[in-house]
Amino acid sequence: MCLPEKDSRRSLILETALHLFTVRGYFSTSVHDIRREADVSIGSIYHHFKGKEAIARALYDGLVGTMAQAMEEIAAAHGSAHDRCRAVVAHLYELTERCPEAMQFILYARHREFLPGEKPICSSRPFELMKEMVAAGIETGEIRVMAPVVAATSLFGGAIRMIYLRLDGALPGPLPDHLEETWQCAWRSVAAE
Amino acid sequence: MCLPEKDSRRSLILETALHLFTVRGYFSTSVHDIRREADVSIGSIYHHFKGKEAIARALYDGLVGTMAQAMEEIAAAHGSAHDRCRAVVAHLYELTERCPEAMQFILYARHREFLPGEKPICSSRPFELMKEMVAAGIETGEIRVMAPVVAATSLFGGAIRMIYLRLDGALPGPLPDHLEETWQCAWRSVAAE
DNA sequence: GTCTATACCACGATAGAC
DNA sequence: GTCTATCGTGGTATAGAC
């Protein structure tokens, strides 16, 4: 449901791997664990993927890709930095509730630890798009003139921390309940007066 | 220098382990790697620590402990929520520059993946103290009346994201250069009007 | 494409001399 | 307290039948 792929053996393997990677961690999950949980054979797994790392890479690329696509649709659907950024936070909150495992895999895993050569998540496409939205907002005068990095971290940092808290089980209710309050704080921190 | 321990074989092992855990990751670091890098014997390592996990635990407890102590000193040294929280951010920024590996180990590692039974980092003592400072600020009227979690994430979320960026090499200059700007955004987001 | 069986190796941990 | 040598387990990945 959270993965872009169609029904197939391959997608079953991916779904199972995502589940195990998030609840037990990448390194604590063996290929045999995936085999058992998905009820397929080792040979089948190695037929579809070069190895364990390739499974993680396919998951990562797929999830980051759909996330970037969502960001682009948001950017196209709204006209101001305020509306765009608010829609991004709303989207991230909903995504966290709907697909906590996907969110956890993207945000919480240290990909550089098991995906050699991968750039840090904060340099990935979705995060770059968020930075661009903020930079555009500074251009138009909606957002105070300041270092773009600082503006972006101030605007999205609180929301991202809320997501971490939620994934860690440190937040009781669903995230969208806090959308209004978090967004007002976030926007207040950078809005031009 | 960042670890509380005195000079000894034991502290040498801890320092080396911290270094390797942060640059290569916990699971990608074998006890033999630590042995080679520290130029000690396997036997010596297993004499001082029960195993690899015990090394990680000693590191974690030591670093979180000194961090919590610093927070308590900050709380005692300042009278208002504003001054306390600002001092916390300044301290975290300086600590990141002085001991990036320690900071990375505390913030970036998924301890629950290799320290069974450990609660999430956001529930650890230093983070609890930060939440308490914010809650006190709401009591005194310095900070808007709002859900304490939201206030805490809004106030510290931006700074924490800046630290992640810095640790990932996505921020060129040293963090303290951005202290003033980040703090003004953070405080503006929650200050009572 | 899917399966079983197995090769191979690296790792954490221990034994025991000094 | 420190060392060297070694063991046993469990991991990834492959071979080859169906």
Side-chain angles (χ1 to χ4, degrees):
Chain A
M1 164 189 157
C2 300
L3 295 173
E5 306 228 5
K6 57 277 157 194
D7 264 354
S8 66
R9 207 84 166 190
R10 189 186 142 94
S11 69
L12 171 64
I13 294 168
L14 283 176
E15 274 171 42
T16 310
L18 174 62
H19 175 67
L20 291 175
F21 287 170
T22 46
V23 297
R24 301 154 65 152
Y26 175 82
F27 290 100
S28 305
T29 300
S30 72
V31 180
H32 285 277
D33 292 335
I34 301 173
R35 184 208 66 76
R36 192 183 320 114
E37 187 89 0
D39 197 28
V40 295
S41 68
I42 282 277
S44 184
I45 293 178
Y46 277 93
H47 172 77
H48 286 287
F49 301 95
K50 204 187 154 209
K52 185 178 163 184
E53 189 186 311
I55 299 177
R57 180 142 261 142
L59 274 174
Y60 186 74
D61 290 344
L63 292 171
V64 168
T66 55
M67 197 161 176
Q69 198 182 332
M71 298 280 171
E72 266 154 10
E73 283 166 17
I74 286 172
H78 297 84
S80 67
H82 174 278
D83 293 355
R84 279 180 188 141
C85 294
R86 191 187 196 284
V88 165
V89 174
H91 173 73
L92 293 177
Y93 277 10
E94 280 155 23
L95 191 61
T96 305
E97 298 297 329
R98 199 171 71 243
C99 313
E101 296 186 338
M103 205 66 185
Q104 174 152 337
F105 184 77
I106 291 179
L107 275 190
Y108 230 135
R110 291 220 55 220
H111 305 104
R112 299 168 90 179
E113 200 166 322
F114 56 86
L115 293 184
E118 189 64 43
K119 56 191 178 199
I121 179 70
C122 59
S123 303
S124 66
R125 188 107 181 79
F127 278 75
E128 288 297 328
L129 287 168
M130 288 159 71
K131 237 195 290 178
E132 281 174 27
M133 293 181 192
V134 172
I138 297 177
E139 288 272 321
T140 65
E142 276 183 273
I143 296 176
R144 274 167 206 264
V145 176
M146 57 195 298
V149 228
V150 178
T153 54
S154 294
L155 194 49
F156 294 112
I160 294 174
R161 273 242 71 83
M162 289 289 287
I163 292 172
Y164 277 98
L165 288 182
R166 178 67 168 148
L167 292 174
D168 271 344
L171 204 72
L175 279 171
D177 288 358
H178 299 285
L179 174 59
E180 199 52 42
E181 212 171 24
T182 52
W183 172 251
Q184 276 178 19
C185 286
W187 185 249
R188 194 158 47 220
S189 73
V190 299
E193 71 274 69
Chain B
M1 164 192 158
C2 300
L3 296 171
E5 306 230 5
K6 57 277 157 192
D7 264 353
S8 66
R9 208 82 166 189
R10 187 187 144 94
S11 69
L12 171 64
I13 294 167
L14 282 176
E15 275 172 40
T16 309
L18 174 61
H19 175 67
L20 291 175
F21 287 170
T22 47
V23 297
R24 301 155 63 154
Y26 175 81
F27 290 101
S28 305
T29 300
S30 73
V31 180
H32 287 275
D33 291 336
I34 300 172
R35 183 208 65 76
R36 192 182 320 113
E37 186 89 1
D39 197 28
V40 296
S41 68
I42 283 278
S44 183
I45 293 179
Y46 278 93
H47 172 76
H48 286 288
F49 301 96
K50 202 185 156 211
K52 185 178 162 182
E53 190 186 310
I55 299 177
R57 178 141 263 140
L59 275 174
Y60 186 73
D61 291 344
L63 292 172
V64 168
T66 55
M67 198 161 173
Q69 197 183 332
M71 299 278 170
E72 266 154 9
E73 284 167 18
I74 286 172
H78 297 84
S80 67
H82 173 279
D83 292 355
R84 279 179 189 143
C85 295
R86 191 188 197 285
V88 165
V89 173
H91 174 72
L92 293 177
Y93 278 9
E94 280 156 23
L95 191 60
T96 305
E97 298 297 330
R98 199 171 68 241
C99 313
E101 297 187 335
M103 206 65 185
Q104 175 150 336
F105 185 77
I106 291 179
L107 275 191
Y108 231 136
R110 292 221 55 220
H111 306 103
R112 298 166 90 179
E113 204 166 320
F114 56 85
L115 292 184
E118 189 64 44
K119 55 192 177 197
I121 178 71
C122 58
S123 303
S124 66
R125 188 107 182 83
F127 279 75
E128 288 297 328
L129 287 167
M130 287 159 71
K131 239 194 289 178
E132 280 173 28
M133 292 181 192
V134 172
I138 297 177
E139 288 271 321
T140 63
E142 276 183 273
I143 296 176
R144 277 166 203 263
V145 176
M146 58 194 299
V149 228
V150 177
T153 53
S154 295
L155 194 49
F156 293 112
I160 294 174
R161 275 241 69 81
M162 289 289 287
I163 292 172
Y164 276 98
L165 288 182
R166 179 65 170 151
L167 292 174
D168 272 344
L171 203 73
L175 278 171
D177 288 358
H178 299 285
L179 174 59
E180 199 52 42
E181 212 171 22
T182 52
W183 173 250
Q184 276 177 18
C185 285
W187 185 249
R188 193 157 49 220
S189 73
V190 299
E193 72 273 71

